[in-house]
Amino acid sequence: KLLGVTEESRTLWDFWDDGDLRDIAFRLSHGPHKVMVYSRDEKQPVRIRMVSQTDVMRFIQKEMKNNSALAKCFAQPIGKFNITGKKAPITIKSTETALEGFLHLWTGCTKGNDFMVAAEPVLDAKGELVATLSASDIRGLTKDNMKDLMLPVVDFLKKRSGTAMLRKQEVVSTNFPLGQAIDKILGAGIHRLWIVGEGEAGVNKKVAGVMSFTDIIRKISKYNIAHHHKS
């Protein structure tokens, strides 16, 4: 009964391997995180492959290193690309329970779109970023530890990680180069960067927005990145 709960699980998107990369990028920028790609070559030992948002991002990262014109474009600050949008992200206070946080993720989708919000920043009493609660944090919950959902969200995250420390939060400002932001997000093995402001002492931890794989791919899907590929 889990299949079809969200838009992503109701539809399987598939493409041919000789199709346009922009079509795959476009689809991955509108909710799905993975698509199926079929090979027309009957001699291929594996004719069905999965392409994820991470695969597309690594392709872009590789092309930035191989093409100076593309690298120059991505050297511009994030703010110039208008990637993050104008809406502030849904947040949760560090004193709220993990259950309240997951309810935020489930009900925080925009009207008319039933894709769940993938993650939300956890803020301390000063309104500064201390952690991230994502949908994947619910993995491993059973009837034996379900009561953990009633813990303050920071305590829940610590217990899930098995350490007394919260994971370091990766942040950037709108003045940070987009290419470096892509390197940062892939290097950290995460799917988003929180956008924060800049104060007199440099970058602060007041969350102003978020930049995810979906946001980046949505922006670049309008352009023929494959045109820059060197065989």
Side-chain angles (χ1 to χ4, degrees):
K1 293 183 179 181
L2 290 175
L3 293 177
V5 172
T6 65
E7 177 67 24
E8 183 169 7
S9 65
R10 282 200 293 270
T11 307
L12 176 65
W13 297 98
D14 52 3
F15 298 86
W16 289 105
D17 61 352
D18 57 357
D20 195 320
L21 178 60
R22 286 174 296 182
D23 294 336
I24 293 178
F26 176 83
R27 182 48 53 201
L28 289 174
S29 71
H30 286 77
H33 295 87
K34 296 181 178 69
V35 297
M36 303 294 292
V37 176
Y38 297 91
S39 173
R40 294 189 189 275
D41 186 355
E42 297 182 359
K43 296 180 181 179
Q44 287 286 342
V46 179
R47 297 190 61 197
I48 304 176
R49 297 182 185 275
M50 190 81 74
V51 174
S52 67
Q53 288 185 330
T54 302
D55 295 326
V56 174
M57 293 297 297
R58 292 199 180 282
F59 174 78
I60 295 170
Q61 183 185 49
K62 180 180 177 182
E63 292 306 298
M64 283 193 299
K65 291 176 170 54
N66 293 337
N67 187 286
S68 58
L70 201 60
K72 184 177 180 180
C73 175
F74 280 81
Q76 297 179 85
I78 293 169
K80 283 199 171 184
F81 290 88
N82 193 28
I83 289 177
T84 60
K86 297 179 180 179
K87 289 186 177 181
I90 295 170
T91 63
I92 179 173
K93 296 177 182 178
S94 58
T95 53
E96 292 182 87
T97 66
L99 178 60
E100 290 175 292
F102 286 120
L103 286 173
H104 289 174
L105 298 182
W106 181 256
T107 61
C109 52
T110 52
K111 187 176 181 180
N113 182 355
D114 61 354
F115 287 114
M116 290 173 57
V117 174
E120 61 186 332
V122 180
L123 309 181
D124 63 13
K126 297 179 181 179
E128 295 187 343
L129 177 68
V130 294
T132 298
L133 180 71
S134 68
S136 62
D137 290 319
I138 207 168
R139 290 175 184 161
L141 276 181
T142 66
K143 60 183 178 67
D144 297 321
N145 59 8
M146 193 71 69
K147 62 181 182 297
D148 291 348
L149 288 172
M150 301 312 297
L151 292 170
V153 64
V154 289
D155 293 334
F156 173 83
L157 291 171
K158 288 176 182 178
K159 190 169 184 179
R160 301 296 288 164
S161 67
T163 68
M165 300 292 292
L166 292 169
R167 180 175 180 173
K168 177 188 174 185
Q169 299 303 294
E170 300 293 342
V171 301
V172 292
S173 73
T174 53
N175 290 323
F176 199 78
L178 178 58
Q180 291 183 36
I182 291 174
D183 290 338
K184 190 181 184 77
I185 198 171
L186 289 171
I190 54 180
H191 295 88
R192 69 197 60 81
L193 290 171
W194 297 114
I195 307 297
V196 297
E198 289 191 278
E200 294 180 2
V203 175
N204 63 40
K205 289 190 175 182
K206 299 281 187 179
V207 178
V210 62
M211 182 178 70
S212 66
F213 280 173
T214 299
D215 298 319
I216 299 171
I217 295 173
R218 180 180 294 131
K219 195 67 178 182
I220 63 92
S221 66
K222 301 174 183 178
Y223 306 99
N224 190 2
I225 298 297
H227 174 73
H228 299 281
H229 180 65
K230 294 180 179 180
S231 58

